[in-house]
Amino acid sequence: MTTTGDDAEAEALLARLTALRAGDLPVHGGRTMAYVYDAGLTGLEELADAASAAFAGVNGLDMTAFPSVVELENDLVRRATALLGGAAGTFTSGGTESCLLAVLTARQHARRVRGITAPELVLPETAHAAFHKAAELFGLTVRSVPVDPETFRVRPADMAAALTDATALVVVSAPSYAHGVIDPVAEVAAEAARRGVLCHVDACIGGWYLGHLRRAGLGGRDAPGIPDTPQVPDFDLSVPGVTSLSVDLHKYAYTPKGASLLLFADPGLRRHGWFAHASWPGYPVVNSTLQGTKSAGPLAAAWAVTERVGAEGYTALSTRVHRAVHALADGVARIDGLRLLARPEASLLAVAATDPALDVFVVADEIRASGWYLQPQPAFGSSPANLHLTVTAAVAGEETVRLLLADLEKAVARARESGPVRVDPGIVAAAAALDPDTLGPQEVEAALALAGVGPDGRLPERAAPVLAVLQALPARLSERLLPEVVGRLYRI
């Protein structure tokens, strides 16, 4: 077979992409325990790729020109509301956009229906950063509520005390990303409803998993072969007072990236988040999301995957994850020097150290050298530094769980030998005295050098020293420096 010039060029381009991917974390096999979700099912990725390719050129901007778009979206929303309640929904590009739209919808509702001109957003301190981003973008004041330092759940009374006449939206998590626990949704939603306030449940990471886990009837003493766990608490749009819920399909529905849903209890509420404009000489514009033009590829891929796996398939996958989560939780508890911050209520684990001489950031570096990625989470408030594990179906095999626990135990031993990262308190004190709003180039260089970040933007091979410095600095200073770190990765 003769290779044409065009074929050779295409092969060279694909080879270049393959080479670039060599430096990335793996996205299959369950060893990257954050950012990626792998069902471990043969043929699923190929189906998604084919569906995406078939709709890649379809523009989701105008469903009257491309009616297939609204048909696919209706099917996905119908499947989601059957699982999680609600009467309407919008397909979005991901959890952040779903959260942004939930806040935007609440702001518009507060303005139009309640006459609120300076809206507020009430949320636990464990709520996802996307809600703070939404508040900054859309001009809401955040009232952040501390959580119980033992359970890491927000207390209903504390949330109720934070509500004011200007509250546009109250947010709870099912579960919170950092600790994997479910906030008291029913109690918070009831108080919000009593005060006439909208209530959003961030179930981006947990909704699809928890909904199918509930369908499996897991939890409690009547679940043979599975560790005793509480029943899945009420968390979705069937709960009185919950007015919206976000759930990502590219997490535990195992679809390709770019797929999330924002569900509403009332279709009328959804329209508050839509943008319409006819006061210009062009075509009438109606946007249901923050995007205008968008490929229908992710929508088609999500539709194909959810149709292929189906309710029975997702229930089986959730059961596998449930078993793996509790096997890992029990195994971590047996490793000297480690503890769980909370007994997992979903598919997430937060692992901290019991020994002050054991640095979990060093543990993260050590286990990454063994081919695993466990996500470091710096200390904040009552939450100590810890390692985050997102457990997917690809992790659920007994051999994978055994290997992870064995490598984690070895990483802990090596981290003990290395000792914790030491940060000079005098230098940190000097850096903490800096005003983040007035930092000049020389002060930025000095602060980044303290963290081991060079002028060329290259990060140290080991992340523990960088994380230790960022953790020691005031949050506002870290927030000022982090964009500088990322900005140096972009050379143009």
Side-chain angles (χ1 to χ4, degrees):
M1 177 179 176
T2 303
T3 301
T4 68
D6 287 347
D7 288 342
E9 183 180 7
E11 289 177 6
L13 292 172
L14 293 174
R16 171 65 174 149
L17 291 174
T18 300
L20 288 171
R21 277 284 290 117
D24 292 346
L25 292 169
V27 298
H28 298 298
R31 284 179 168 260
T32 302
M33 306 196 72
Y35 303 124
V36 299
Y37 298 80
D38 182 8
L41 298 179
T42 302
L44 206 59
E45 187 170 316
E46 292 76 10
L47 171 66
D49 288 346
S52 181
F55 276 74
V58 174
N59 192 341
L61 170 64
D62 190 346
M63 65 289 300
T64 64
F66 301 100
S68 60
V69 170
V70 75
E71 288 300 319
L72 293 176
E73 188 163 336
N74 281 339
D75 278 356
L76 282 170
V77 170
R78 192 176 297 115
R79 182 181 290 280
T81 54
L83 180 70
L84 300 169
T90 298
F91 182 83
T92 78
S93 64
T96 292
E97 188 177 21
S98 289
C99 296
L100 292 177
L101 285 171
V103 175
L104 177 61
T105 300
R107 188 198 72 176
Q108 297 299 85
H109 176 270
R111 284 179 175 176
R112 296 166 179 170
V113 177
R114 298 171 57 204
I116 295 175
T117 57
E120 296 178 350
L121 177 62
V122 173
L123 41 70
E125 65 182 2
T126 50
H128 195 277
F131 293 99
H132 293 269
K133 181 177 183 178
E136 184 171 321
L137 289 174
F138 305 137
L140 287 83
T141 298
V142 173
R143 288 185 176 268
S144 185
V145 179
V147 297
D148 185 309
E150 298 297 324
T151 66
F152 299 104
R153 299 181 198 90
V154 76
R155 301 180 184 91
D158 292 342
M159 290 290 278
L163 299 181
T164 72
D165 291 340
T167 304
L169 182 67
V170 60
V171 174
V172 281
S173 303
S176 61
Y177 182 85
H179 303 106
V181 297
I182 300 172
D183 284 324
V185 173
E187 295 91 332
V188 173
E191 179 61 19
R194 190 183 73 81
R195 302 278 291 271
V197 175
L198 301 182
C199 178
H200 179 80
V201 175
D202 175 16
C204 283
I205 200 166
W208 210 257
Y209 169 76
L210 290 170
H212 287 94
L213 194 64
R214 178 177 57 194
R215 186 178 183 275
L218 293 184
R221 299 184 184 280
D222 58 349
I226 297 178
D228 183 31
T229 56
Q231 294 289 344
V232 175
D234 294 334
F235 73 94
D236 58 14
L237 283 157
S238 65
V239 175
V242 174
T243 52
S244 61
L245 177 145
S246 48
V247 55
D248 288 358
L249 301 178
H250 59 218
K251 290 189 169 73
Y252 285 94
Y254 299 108
T255 75
K257 295 293 185 187
S260 178
L261 292 169
L262 175 59
L263 305 179
F264 294 94
D266 176 11
L269 178 59
R270 172 178 60 179
R271 286 194 288 275
H272 285 287
W274 289 6
F275 173 79
H277 189 74
S279 302
W280 76 308
Y283 61 96
V285 173
V286 179
N287 296 150
S288 60
T289 66
L290 299 178
Q291 302 174 83
T293 288
K294 54 191 175 184
S295 170
L299 172 65
W303 179 88
V305 169
T306 55
E307 288 290 313
R308 175 71 168 269
V309 178
E312 293 297 331
Y314 284 121
T315 301
L317 290 171
S318 294
T319 301
R320 289 183 62 200
V321 170
H322 180 75
R323 293 178 185 273
V325 165
H326 290 281
L328 284 169
D330 291 342
V332 166
R334 290 194 294 270
I335 297 176
D336 182 35
L338 297 183
R339 69 181 178 97
L340 295 174
L341 285 184
R343 188 70 181 174
E345 295 182 306
S347 56
L348 312 176
L349 298 173
V351 180
T354 59
D355 181 357
L358 182 62
D359 188 334
V360 291
F361 296 160
V362 178
V363 174
D365 282 339
E366 292 294 340
I367 198 166
R368 186 165 184 175
S370 299
W372 301 90
Y373 179 78
L374 277 56
Q375 187 178 50
Q377 298 189 139
F380 178 82
S382 60
S383 180
N386 64 89
L387 300 178
H388 169 98
L389 287 74
T390 294
V391 183
T392 68
V395 184
E398 289 184 11
E399 181 63 12
T400 305
V401 170
R402 186 192 69 77
L403 285 172
L404 172 56
L405 289 171
D407 284 345
L408 181 58
E409 188 167 20
K410 293 173 186 174
V412 166
R414 293 195 299 270
R416 267 211 183 87
E417 291 177 6
S418 299
V421 173
R422 302 294 183 188
V423 181
D424 187 331
I427 297 176
V428 171
L434 299 173
D435 182 352
D437 297 326
T438 61
L439 281 187
Q442 291 182 332
E443 291 165 320
V444 167
E445 291 291 341
L448 292 182
L450 174 65
V453 179
D456 59 357
R458 291 185 183 275
L459 299 175
E461 275 193 29
R462 298 177 71 85
V466 179
L467 292 165
V469 171
L470 290 175
Q471 177 178 254
L473 297 178
R476 284 191 62 241
L477 183 56
S478 292
E479 290 165 356
R480 171 67 179 85
L481 294 175
L482 283 169
E484 298 288 345
V485 174
V486 174
R488 291 177 181 213
L489 300 177
Y490 295 89
R491 295 183 290 276
I492 301 297

